[in-house]
Amino acid sequence: DIVMTQSPLSLPVIPGEPASISCRSSQSLLHSNGYTYLDWYLQKPGQAPQLLIYLASNRASGVPDRFSGSGSGTDFTLKISRVEAEDVGVYYCVQVLQTPYTFGPGTKVDIK
Amino acid sequence: QVQLVQSGAEVKKPGASVKVSCKASGYTFTGFHIHWVRQAPGQGLEWMGWIHSNSGDTRYAQKFQGRVTLTRDTSVTTAYMELSSLTSDDTAAYYCARDDSYAPGTYFDYWGQGTLVTVSS
């Protein structure tokens, strides 16, 4: 199975400041079709996860442009340009290159 | 609008089975996979498997192979997840989520609200 790691696991943030979460996979997530099979989700307290980024760098419909995804191969980053209070929750990266799809352990973001 | 509405919470005894439903609406049911993801209390997300809503083809995580069965009924646009031989380790919220069968990649753009399954004697 592909192992996903994230850092940090806890991230206190100040509203208006930027934030960054790192995600690493145990093997390359580059598919033969040229796409990178890495997605990002945010799970707000008491809610189902919601899609933020797919194929490493594509923002999902309705996701504010302060969220961006980057990276390739085995190293990926989710950036929030200016954190807002509504961004608190747990952020997960997930590899969807091969089954079983595997999630990172999550990064808990809260307001400092 | 797209909705995935799951069945209500369940309490089961060890050794029993549970069947959770996921009613889809607002889109062409047969054009999407339905995936199942679970989350134990206070823990992370764990992918269990998917079903192709058109063909009925399935793919399961090895961990659940032999214990999980994914089915769907296209006449009522509903997917089902049945998990057998329950233990306390299966206590979790179970989510369904859809994925476009025809788009590159796999991403879950809509999720059900989750169904809490509690396994307790």
Side-chain angles (χ1 to χ4, degrees):
Chain A
D1 297 359
I2 297 176
V3 177
M4 305 297 292
T5 56
Q6 291 182 229
S7 62
L9 298 183
S10 178
L11 182 59
V13 297
I14 297 173
E17 294 294 306
S20 179
I21 299 170
S22 175
C23 172
R24 181 166 292 179
S25 58
S26 60
Q27 63 189 76
S28 175
L29 301 184
L30 178 64
H31 191 280
S32 57
N33 63 13
Y35 291 100
T36 298
Y37 280 34
L38 184 283
D39 305 326
W40 289 94
Y41 293 86
L42 164 60
Q43 187 174 32
K44 296 183 179 181
Q47 297 184 19
Q50 58 188 82
L51 177 66
L52 293 176
I53 302 289
Y54 63 96
L55 295 173
S57 60
N58 295 271
R59 218 169 16 252
S61 176
V63 174
D65 60 8
R66 64 179 180 274
F67 290 94
S68 64
S70 63
S72 61
T74 61
D75 289 289
F76 305 93
T77 302
L78 177 71
K79 292 183 178 177
I80 311 174
S81 58
R82 294 173 305 280
V83 173
E84 297 191 4
E86 66 181 24
D87 298 336
V88 299
V90 181
Y91 290 77
Y92 295 94
C93 60
V94 59
Q95 69 81 18
V96 289
L97 181 67
Q98 63 182 231
T99 59
Y101 303 143
T102 44
F103 290 84
T107 295
K108 185 173 184 180
V109 171
D110 57 13
I111 300 298
K112 186 180 288 186
Chain B
Q1 73 282 21
V2 174
Q3 282 192 302
L4 297 174
V5 179
Q6 298 183 223
S7 49
E10 303 262 13
V11 179
K12 296 292 183 181
K13 294 197 181 301
S17 297
V18 68
K19 190 170 186 177
V20 178
S21 66
C22 173
K23 167 70 175 174
S25 61
Y27 71 95
T28 302
F29 180 69
T30 52
F32 292 77
H33 292 100
I34 293 290
H35 295 251
W36 291 86
V37 175
R38 78 175 186 179
Q39 184 173 41
Q43 302 302 308
L45 301 169
E46 181 174 34
W47 180 83
M48 300 178 68
W50 60 251
I51 183 166
H52 193 299
S53 301
N54 191 19
S55 66
D57 288 345
T58 55
R59 181 75 62 88
Y60 302 126
Q62 184 68 30
K63 174 178 179 177
F64 301 102
Q65 197 83 31
R67 267 204 321 135
V68 68
T69 304
L70 302 183
T71 57
R72 93 283 185 236
D73 184 339
T74 58
S75 68
V76 290
T77 64
T78 300
Y80 304 92
M81 185 284 298
E82 184 169 21
L83 188 63
S84 62
S85 303
L86 293 170
T87 72
S88 58
D89 290 342
D90 295 314
T91 293
Y94 289 78
Y95 294 98
C96 63
R98 78 164 197 177
D99 150 51
D100 189 340
S101 308
Y102 300 105
T106 295
Y107 47 91
F108 313 136
D109 59 350
Y110 284 90
W111 294 64
Q113 82 277 19
T115 296
L116 179 62
V117 175
T118 303
V119 183
S120 174
S121 55

